[in-house]
Amino acid sequence: MDVARKSEAFLRKAIRRPIREVRRLALDVKRLWRLWFAGRSAPCRKIFIAGCARSGTTLTQRLMGCFEDTFVHRAEAKYTQLDMLDRSESNLVVKRTDRGHMHLAKLPAAIGLIYCVRHPFDVLTSSHPESRAERRFHVTSERWLAEYEALLRLRKAQPERAIVYVRYEDMIARPDEVQERIARAFDLRPRIRFSEDAGNLIRATSLKKWERNEEYLAYLKALPAAFLARLRGFCDEFGYDMPEWANA
């Protein structure tokens, strides 16, 4: 019985890719038809949201739904999902999966990028319902480092790429300013101010919990010195302060 299940799973996996390719081809043909015969004058704008988990990617995804003529794909997906969407809106938005950093350096130049950042100590001491039963904190030091190195690889591979960085702390303190900056970067028009969106997830209490929690501080102080050095480089670039004990 177990062998039968494994064989069935293998067959499903084997045919999945061809099905996706056929579906993508069909959508491309449909878009061309709409462009040539239905009078659509311009291709849609594609925007990808990336960044380490617990850095505000979900909050930014919610913000993008506050723009006019914009479709936000609800589920996390690879950036290739942008080519699979058959929508009438002019702006398409997809948020990365938890393994999206592995392919970030290959992000096509035609896809706009919003990259979310947050103080790494807040990221490293944040929990999540999906992983709470497995570990105390959602993002491991290995995961954080893999995300940061993926960003560095992208910038090395695409030095001319424009990246719209969104700091989680700015989103909490000045959400409408962040919305305006994104609007200017991608030529978008707000449908509603993000601060007036009843469903937004802004929670000021999520900032710097590690400063007030002895358990969190003990965990952070036990991190390897080499890893703390990598955190310092990130903090220097994105304007975050490190406590004195982390700079030793």
Side-chain angles (χ1 to χ4, degrees):
M1 189 68 177
D2 187 53
V3 173
R5 282 200 300 269
K6 288 182 179 179
S7 299
E8 189 175 325
F10 176 80
L11 288 173
R12 284 199 301 268
K13 185 176 180 181
I15 66 174
R16 193 174 298 143
R17 182 177 179 84
I19 290 174
R20 284 201 301 264
E21 295 301 325
V22 170
R23 188 180 302 159
R24 183 180 301 175
L25 178 61
L27 288 176
D28 286 342
V29 170
K30 191 171 184 179
R31 291 191 191 99
L32 286 172
W33 182 91
R34 199 161 56 221
L35 178 64
W36 292 339
F37 301 105
R40 182 155 183 154
S41 58
C44 58
R45 181 183 289 105
K46 301 171 184 177
I47 302 171
F48 189 61
I49 299 172
C52 188
R54 316 309 287 166
S55 293
T57 54
T58 299
L59 195 61
T60 302
Q61 181 187 43
R62 178 76 195 192
L63 181 151
M64 296 305 290
C66 294
F67 290 112
E68 292 183 357
D69 197 19
T70 299
F71 173 76
V72 180
H73 188 62
R74 293 184 65 181
E76 294 181 352
K78 298 178 180 179
Y79 62 75
T80 52
Q81 181 67 39
L82 288 161
D83 292 328
M84 304 289 288
L85 298 175
D86 184 25
R87 302 288 308 186
S88 60
E89 291 87 351
S90 300
N91 309 296
L92 306 178
V93 181
V94 164
K95 173 191 164 185
R96 58 98 186 101
T97 66
D98 60 356
R99 297 174 65 84
H101 60 281
M102 299 177 66
H103 312 287
L104 187 64
K106 298 180 181 179
L107 185 69
I111 297 178
L113 176 61
I114 298 175
Y115 196 91
C116 301
V117 299
R118 183 183 183 184
H119 195 297
F121 283 0
D122 277 326
V123 173
L124 291 165
T125 55
S126 179
S127 61
H128 192 283
E130 292 182 0
S131 60
R132 195 167 291 154
E134 303 173 21
R135 54 186 180 272
R136 180 68 179 87
F137 303 122
H138 184 61
V139 177
T140 64
S141 56
E142 293 81 7
R143 166 73 184 277
W144 188 93
L145 190 57
E147 293 275 6
Y148 185 38
E149 290 181 343
L151 174 62
L152 298 179
R153 286 196 300 272
L154 170 70
R155 297 197 302 206
K156 182 177 181 179
Q158 303 181 34
E160 302 302 318
R161 170 179 281 281
I163 301 175
V164 178
Y165 292 103
V166 171
R167 293 189 357 143
Y168 180 87
E169 294 78 6
D170 296 339
M171 183 81 82
I172 297 296
R174 298 178 295 278
D176 295 334
E177 288 184 17
V178 173
Q179 183 181 12
E180 290 170 7
R181 185 159 57 85
I182 293 174
R184 290 194 301 271
F186 296 107
D187 193 24
L188 304 173
R189 287 198 303 176
R191 174 182 56 81
I192 182 176
R193 292 167 67 90
F194 189 43
S195 62
E196 299 171 356
D197 176 15
N200 73 44
L201 305 171
I202 293 176
R203 298 189 184 95
T205 56
S206 62
L207 299 177
K208 293 193 173 182
K209 287 183 179 181
W210 55 272
E211 288 187 337
R212 309 182 296 273
N213 188 299
E214 290 299 324
E215 178 193 355
Y216 294 3
L217 276 171
Y219 169 72
L220 294 171
K221 288 180 179 180
L223 292 172
F227 179 66
L228 289 173
R230 298 301 302 273
L231 297 185
R232 282 196 294 274
F234 177 93
C235 288
D236 288 345
E237 176 175 359
F238 293 106
Y240 293 120
D241 293 329
M242 292 277 280
E244 286 300 321
W245 56 262
N247 291 318

